[in-house]
Amino acid sequence: MITRRGFLGFTSAAALGAGLSACTGGGTSTGGGATEAASNNLRLFTYEDDSTIGLLKAQVKKFDQQNGTTTTVDSLPGSGAAVYPDKLRTELLGGKGPDVWRIWGGQIGAPFAKAKQALDLSKYYDKYGWDSKINTKAIGGMTFDGVKSGVPFISLGIGAWYNKSLFAKAGIAAPPKTYAELEAANDKLVAVGVTPCGLGGKYGWDIMRLFEYLLEHTAGPDLHDKLLTGAESWDRPEVVQAFTLFKKWQDKKWLPQGALALDPSDVEPWYVQGKTAYTITGPWTEAGAILAAKKSSSAFGNFELPTDKTPARHSGFVEGYMINARSGNADKAAALIDFILQPAAQKAMNITASTVKGAEPDPKTLPLASEWAQKYSGNPFYTIQDQAFPKKQADQYFSVQSDLLQGSVKPDAAAKKMQEIVSAWAKS
């Protein structure tokens, strides 16, 4: 199964509008170290899964053939944000970092921008017209302190993906439009012996998707955003209410029994297997869970979790590429990125959530991903919480979640603890 942590970006070939003959050579060092010597040798570091790394390499090879370059593609698959950023950081500090690397947005990508290890890409945005070719909301996810330090090629929204037959079994005629309707649907599912929401607590990030949704419901967009940046205190009624609801979901058996110990990669496909009614995930689940199980997409559906707030928002995140500020091949690296961003390339790689205009998912092959894009991709999103926080604070936050669900802390104590965690980070 392809999960958010292991989600695979796909790249493909397309005609490069401007060849490297137009490039000017070496990059500009802004990272405090010497710029590497210019050459025709590039290195791209990514976290592509083994099942698709070949696709990326094939397209990079086409780029090389057209431009006289030799690009080495290295991948560290499966580690997610727990390992990959640290490996990248170590390489950069050691002076052997890649020319181009893939990275998540939010507080995972931010340290590379703030340390000026990632190049300011403004001139390449102008050169290649990325501002007009890429979803502007996604560009915002790769912009740090006003500096465009990355180019997003994936923008993913998190919603509910459900099994139509189990909804029908419970007498749920249509996806819930309000939070009260969602709770009522959960009760109906439990009444017919179906666990509503399949989420796993192992690692913390999967079950987090439920809490962040509940916080959006209780706090609303403005306060939620301020909480994520430490601009407002977490020790407040809206947060206590969200933690109270979080515990309620477990106590009313709206989550799988023993959810905290379950691995997300095991649990998320359960809605496809008929073991749970729905899960909270992104469009990759159509290819990774539904089609991989040789099921018809028509047996499943998706909906944006109802927040009862305006504007309606869902959790989301972006992934993109950055260029090493010390690379001597910055122009060539930018050309490689632009090659990857061509609509034909994105389509050829079956990207289900491309940021590139004209590269929307094909409704014939990925009808549900296409439906999600048409219905909800225009809605704003809040930064998924494990990207909103640095890794240390995210780990502490996951501990709070776990303690709450295990009953060792009460909702008001969890809110106070979160304030301690976020306040310490905001002051650092």
Side-chain angles (χ1 to χ4, degrees):
M1 177 191 174
I2 302 174
T3 68
R4 200 279 285 183
R5 288 285 183 177
F7 180 62
L8 309 174
F10 299 92
T11 60
S12 180
L16 183 63
L20 290 181
S21 59
C23 295
T24 57
T28 301
S29 174
T30 58
T35 301
E36 299 291 330
S39 75
N40 284 326
N41 299 319
L42 293 171
R43 179 168 170 252
L44 187 156
F45 190 33
T46 183
Y47 40 88
E48 297 275 354
D49 187 81
D50 291 343
S51 63
T52 57
I53 187 64
L55 298 175
L56 174 61
K57 288 182 176 179
Q59 302 311 314
V60 169
K61 183 178 180 180
K62 290 183 179 180
F63 171 83
D64 286 342
Q65 290 172 338
Q66 293 179 19
N67 296 286
T69 51
T70 300
T71 303
T72 300
V73 179
D74 291 330
S75 188
L76 182 63
S79 67
V83 176
Y84 177 82
D86 289 341
K87 168 69 173 172
L88 174 60
R89 188 174 297 106
T90 299
E91 286 198 15
L92 292 170
L93 291 173
K96 297 182 179 179
D99 298 282
V100 180
W101 63 80
R102 179 174 169 173
I103 196 71
W104 295 274
Q107 291 300 320
I108 299 178
F112 300 98
K114 292 180 179 178
K116 298 189 183 303
Q117 293 168 319
L119 190 66
D120 178 352
L121 302 181
S122 297
K123 71 174 184 179
Y124 297 118
Y125 269 82
D126 293 339
K127 178 177 180 177
Y128 293 110
W130 289 336
D131 279 313
S132 61
K133 296 177 180 176
I134 300 173
N135 182 309
T136 54
K137 294 185 179 69
I139 292 173
M142 281 283 171
T143 301
F144 307 94
D145 295 332
V147 178
K148 293 172 181 172
S149 302
V151 189
F153 71 101
I154 290 174
S155 178
L156 287 158
I158 304 296
W161 291 69
Y162 70 100
N163 184 313
K164 290 181 178 178
S165 65
L166 294 181
F167 269 39
K169 179 180 179 181
I172 304 169
K177 300 292 187 184
T178 66
Y179 179 74
E181 289 182 8
L182 179 60
E183 286 203 343
N186 287 344
D187 282 335
K188 290 180 179 179
L189 287 161
V190 171
V192 296
V194 176
T195 300
C197 186
L199 293 171
K202 189 176 182 180
Y203 312 121
W205 56 266
D206 190 43
I207 206 164
M208 167 206 73
R209 296 171 181 171
L210 172 60
F211 178 74
E212 64 182 3
Y213 157 62
L214 296 172
L215 186 60
E216 176 76 4
H217 165 60
T218 60
D222 184 58
L223 177 57
H224 190 171
D225 287 346
K226 290 179 179 177
L227 291 169
L228 294 182
T229 61
E232 290 285 356
S233 172
W234 285 67
D235 186 10
R236 60 188 311 120
E238 295 89 346
V239 179
V240 175
Q241 185 183 1
F243 275 122
T244 301
L245 290 176
F246 194 46
K247 187 68 162 55
K248 178 180 180 180
W249 276 61
Q250 175 182 261
D251 293 347
K252 294 203 69 172
K253 303 186 186 307
W254 295 344
L255 296 171
Q257 185 175 5
L260 273 177
L262 298 177
D263 190 318
S265 61
D266 295 331
V267 178
E268 283 201 7
W270 282 2
Y271 81 99
V272 177
Q273 301 165 11
K275 296 179 180 178
T276 61
Y278 64 93
T279 191
I280 302 175
T281 191
W284 61 84
T285 192
E286 182 172 21
I290 298 173
L291 299 182
K294 303 188 184 306
K295 302 278 188 176
S296 171
S297 294
S298 63
F300 304 91
N302 56 53
F303 60 92
E304 190 175 59
L305 289 163
T307 65
D308 301 347
K309 303 295 183 184
T310 302
R313 304 196 309 175
H314 54 262
S315 170
F317 61 96
V318 301
E319 295 182 49
Y321 288 106
M322 290 180 169
I323 295 176
N324 191 339
R326 294 177 60 184
S327 171
N329 302 310
D331 287 346
K332 298 182 179 79
L336 173 60
I337 292 173
D338 189 63
F339 184 89
I340 291 170
L341 292 176
Q342 297 299 318
Q346 298 274 297
K347 285 185 176 181
M349 299 302 296
N350 290 327
I351 293 177
T352 57
S354 173
T355 63
V356 179
K357 295 176 181 176
E360 294 77 14
D362 185 349
K364 294 180 180 177
T365 57
L366 295 166
L368 291 178
S370 177
E371 180 184 34
W372 174 272
Q374 291 176 17
K375 286 185 176 180
Y376 308 116
S377 65
N379 288 4
F381 64 83
Y382 52 91
T383 303
I384 196 167
Q385 290 187 346
D386 60 348
Q387 288 191 16
F389 298 131
K391 184 176 182 298
K392 176 182 177 182
Q393 284 69 31
D395 289 342
Q396 292 173 324
Y397 161 49
F398 295 156
S399 292
V400 173
Q401 286 185 156
S402 177
D403 290 344
L404 179 92
L405 293 182
Q406 292 184 78
S408 60
V409 299
K410 300 294 184 185
D412 57 343
K416 286 182 170 59
K417 183 61 179 176
M418 280 302 300
Q419 175 54 21
E420 294 175 8
I421 294 168
V422 177
S423 177
W425 163 51
K427 292 177 181 176
S428 63

